[in-house]
Amino acid sequence: MHVDVLLGLQWGDEGKGKVVDYLAEQYNVVARFQGGPNAGHTLILNNGEKFVLHTIPSGIFLNNCLNVVGNGVVIDPITFRMEVQKLEKAGVDVTHRLVIARKAHLILPTHKMLDAASEASKGQDKIGSTLKGIGPAYMDKTGRNGLRVGDIESPDFLKKYNTLRDKHFQLLRIYGEHHNEVPNEQEWMDAIAFLKQLPFVDAEYLVDEAMHQGKTILAEGAQGSMLDVDHGTYPFVTSSNTITAGVCTGLGVAPQRVKEVIGISKAYCTRVGGGPFPTELFDADGEELRKIGNEFGATTGRPRRCGWIDIPALKYTIMLNGVTQLAITKVDVLNTFTKIKACVAYKINGVITDRVPYDIVDAVIEPVYEEFPGWNCSLDGCKSKADLPEALQNYLQFLEWHLKTRITMLSAGPERDKLILL
Ligand code: GDP
Ligand code: IMO
Ligand code: MG
C-alpha cells in the first residue's frame, strides 16, 4: 500500500539508472514521475550491453515489471519511438511492459525550437539546457496550453496541434525567428502514430489499484534535487519538481503513501550545464575525476564539471526529500586518490554556514574542506561492509555522521553486480 522513491540528491547523473535496474527485481511497478528526454539513465546489462534510457523507466528489462510513464513526464514522441525500437531490437517485449499516462504532456518540434531560441537569447547566461524542449513544454503545461497524450485519442488532435504550433510560430518571432513550417513535422506525426500502439492509461487509477493489490511500486526520479524548479539553483534548474513532492503530483499519489525515499549521491559531485557549483575543481583532481569517472553526459555527451562531495547541499536535499536511506555511487572512481576531500561548510563573506544560501547563484562561496586519506586499492572483491578497506569505512562513517542518514548501498562499478549492500 505504498510507493518507494529513488532520486538524485545532486545535479543529476548520480547513477539512478544503475541502481533502479538493480532494485527493479524487488518491484512490480517502476514509474517515472517527472522530466523527459533531458534525462539519460545508463544501464549495463549482464551481457555487458549498455543502454541509455531517456523517457522509459529503468525497470523495462525485467519480464514481470510494469513500467509507467507518469503524468508528470513530458514526452518527445520521436525520442520515445527511437528508445522503444532500440529496446525491441534487443529483444525486450516493450509493448507488454510499458504504459503511458494520458495526462503526460507532449513535446512538439516547436518546443525544441523555442528552447534553442531562448537559450541563444541568453548568451553568456544560458542555462546549458539539453535543448530537448523541456522548459517550453512545461511552460505550456502550466500556461494551460499543452497537448497531452490523451489528446492523441481525440478527433480534434490535429486541430489542437496546429493551434499550438501556430502559437509557437508567433512566440518564435519575439526571438526574431520567422517560421511557417516545421522541418520534421511528418516524422513527429509518424512517431505519434507509433505511440498509439502502446497502452494509454489513467495512471493515477492504475497506481492506486496496484497499491491496493499489494504490489510493490518504485518511483524513479530524473535529474537531481539541486535542479528542482523550486528548490534548486534557480534559474539554473530544470522545469519540473525533481524532489519527492514531485511523486505526488507526477503520479497522482497521496503524500502519506510514500514510504522509503532512497537518495543517491556520487562519492564526489558533478554538474553538467551552467550554474553554481561550490565545490567545482579546476585542477588535476577535477580532470582525474572526469577521466576515471568517464564524466561525459549520457544525453548530450558534454563533459561534466567535477568536484568534491558537497555536504551542505546533501543535507539540504536530504531534508527536502525526507530521505530514509542513502546509496553512494561511483566510489571506485576514488580508488586511486591518495587524498579525498569533503566540503563540510561554506564560507560566505567571512561567515561559515552549512546552509545553502538563497543567492547561491551570486554569492561567492568558499568551500570549507575536511581531508581524508584514500584507500588506494581496488574494491572488486568487496561483497559486504566487512570487506571494505578501513579508509573507505571511515569516509562512509563520516558521511553518515554529517548526513544523519544511513548508507544502505554502495556502487563500485557501472555493472549490475558491482553493488554492495551495507
Ligand atoms: P543517471 O542519470 O543518474 O542514471 O546517471 P547516468 O547514467 O547519466 O550517469 C552515471 C554514469 O556512471 C553512467 O555512465 C553509469 O554507467 C556510470 N556508473 C554508475 N554507477 C557507477 C559506479 O558505481 N562506478 C562507476 N565507475 N560508474 C558508474
Ligand atoms: P538525469 O536524469 C544532469 C541539466 C542540464 C541543464 C539544466 C536544464 O540523467 O540525471 P533542461 O534540458 O532540463 O532544460 O536542462 O538541467 N539537466 C541534467 N543534468 N542529468 C540530467 O538528467 C539532466 N537533465 C537536465 O544540463 O543544466
Ligand atoms: Mg543521466
Side-chain angles (χ1 to χ4, degrees):
M1 284 293 284
H2 65 263
V3 175
D4 292 339
V5 182
L6 179 145
L7 43 72
L9 298 177
Q10 299 169 310
W11 281 279
D13 303 329
E14 295 89 349
K16 298 176 289 291
K18 186 228 150 131
V19 181
V20 174
D21 178 49
Y22 175 86
L23 292 176
E25 272 187 3
Q26 302 168 27
Y27 290 93
N28 303 117
V29 178
V30 176
R32 277 277 305 272
F33 58 93
Q34 47 69 233
N38 49 349
H41 296 181
T42 314
L43 286 74
I44 313 271
L45 307 186
N46 290 336
N47 63 6
E49 206 175 338
K50 176 174 145 175
F51 273 89
V52 180
L53 298 172
H54 301 287
T55 323
I56 294 175
S58 300
I60 197 71
F61 292 95
L62 290 177
N63 223 337
N64 39 19
C65 182
L66 180 68
N67 290 265
V68 180
V69 178
N71 61 274
V73 175
V74 286
I75 299 173
D76 177 352
I78 296 176
T79 316
F80 195 83
R81 177 175 60 176
M82 268 175 353
E83 251 182 282
V84 172
Q85 286 175 338
K86 195 166 172 227
L87 288 165
E88 281 178 338
K89 212 169 145 202
V92 179
D93 180 11
V94 180
T95 37
H96 292 102
R97 292 183 201 168
L98 183 66
V99 297
I100 307 170
R102 287 197 175 87
K103 289 180 183 159
H105 278 245
L106 292 169
I107 299 176
L108 274 59
T110 39
H111 280 135
K112 291 171 84 169
M113 290 156 77
L114 282 165
D115 213 357
S118 166
E119 277 286 76
S121 75
K122 288 192 160 117
Q124 290 279 70
D125 297 328
K126 71 173 184 185
I127 290 161
S129 166
T130 59
L131 303 178
K132 304 290 179 192
I134 305 294
Y138 278 116
M139 278 166 72
D140 272 333
K141 174 178 174 172
T142 51
R144 295 151 304 171
N145 297 308
L147 210 54
R148 300 188 290 177
V149 166
D151 289 325
I152 299 172
E153 297 170 319
S154 151
D156 288 338
F157 178 69
L158 211 56
K159 193 171 147 217
K160 288 181 181 180
Y161 167 82
N162 286 334
T163 305
L164 189 54
R165 179 204 56 195
D166 291 348
K167 181 177 169 257
H168 291 163
F169 285 157
Q170 285 186 19
L171 289 173
L172 283 162
R173 282 192 203 119
I174 297 171
Y175 295 107
E177 291 190 21
H178 296 268
H179 301 271
N180 44 29
E181 58 184 59
V182 175
N184 58 342
E185 194 164 73
Q186 192 51 50
E187 188 189 3
W188 192 84
M189 288 295 172
D190 292 345
I192 287 285
F194 179 88
L195 206 64
K196 267 182 167 168
Q197 298 167 27
L198 289 157
F200 297 165
V201 298
D202 298 321
E204 58 282 14
Y205 283 110
L206 181 141
V207 170
D208 188 61
E209 277 160 21
M211 276 194 286
H212 279 94
Q213 289 162 359
K215 289 187 175 159
T216 49
I217 304 166
L218 180 67
E220 173 182 358
Q223 290 78 55
S225 305
M226 293 301 281
L227 289 169
D228 180 88
V229 67
D230 280 276
H231 297 286
T233 48
Y234 193 88
F236 297 94
V237 292
T238 188
S239 298
S240 66
N241 282 118
T242 59
I243 59 174
T244 306
V247 175
C248 299
T249 54
L251 283 180
V253 168
Q256 68 270 31
R257 294 274 182 246
V258 174
K259 198 175 172 196
E260 286 299 314
V261 180
I262 305 164
I264 306 207
S265 167
K266 285 181 189 174
Y268 49 98
C269 195
T270 65
R271 172 165 205 168
V272 61
F277 181 1
T279 62
E280 182 169 12
L281 291 168
F282 300 96
D283 59 6
D285 283 338
E287 259 322 307
E288 281 293 286
L289 288 173
R290 185 159 34 250
K291 202 172 78 196
I292 303 172
N294 191 24
E295 294 296 357
F296 296 90
T299 297
T300 58
R302 291 177 292 178
R304 293 176 184 147
R305 300 154 65 191
C306 297
W308 297 118
I309 202 163
D310 182 338
I311 288 178
L314 283 176
K315 279 184 182 168
Y316 173 68
T317 53
I318 288 170
M319 169 186 86
L320 292 170
N321 288 302
V323 172
T324 59
Q325 44 177 308
L326 288 166
I328 305 292
T329 59
K330 305 196 85 161
V331 179
D332 55 301
V333 174
L334 299 179
N335 283 355
T336 52
F337 282 77
T338 48
K339 290 255 183 307
I340 291 162
K341 287 188 188 177
C343 165
V344 289
Y346 300 149
K347 194 171 176 186
I348 306 170
N349 293 329
V351 179
I352 306 266
T353 176
D354 68 347
R355 286 195 172 202
V356 174
Y358 167 77
D359 60 347
I360 185 164
V361 172
D362 299 316
V364 178
I365 297 179
E366 195 188 321
V368 178
Y369 286 115
E370 275 194 32
E371 202 174 273
F372 299 84
W375 40 95
N376 294 120
C377 63
S378 157
L379 303 174
D380 276 356
C382 298
K383 298 278 172 246
S384 69
K385 193 170 186 172
D387 299 332
L388 301 178
E390 199 184 332
L392 174 53
Q393 291 204 30
N394 290 340
Y395 182 55
L396 298 176
Q397 222 173 34
F398 159 88
L399 292 178
E400 281 188 330
W401 187 86
H402 274 279
L403 301 173
K404 307 280 178 272
T405 314
R406 69 207 160 107
I407 300 170
T408 56
M409 280 173 271
L410 212 62
S411 176
E415 301 84 10
R416 259 183 193 168
D417 61 345
K418 296 268 173 64
L419 200 130
I420 305 161
L421 296 179
L422 302 181

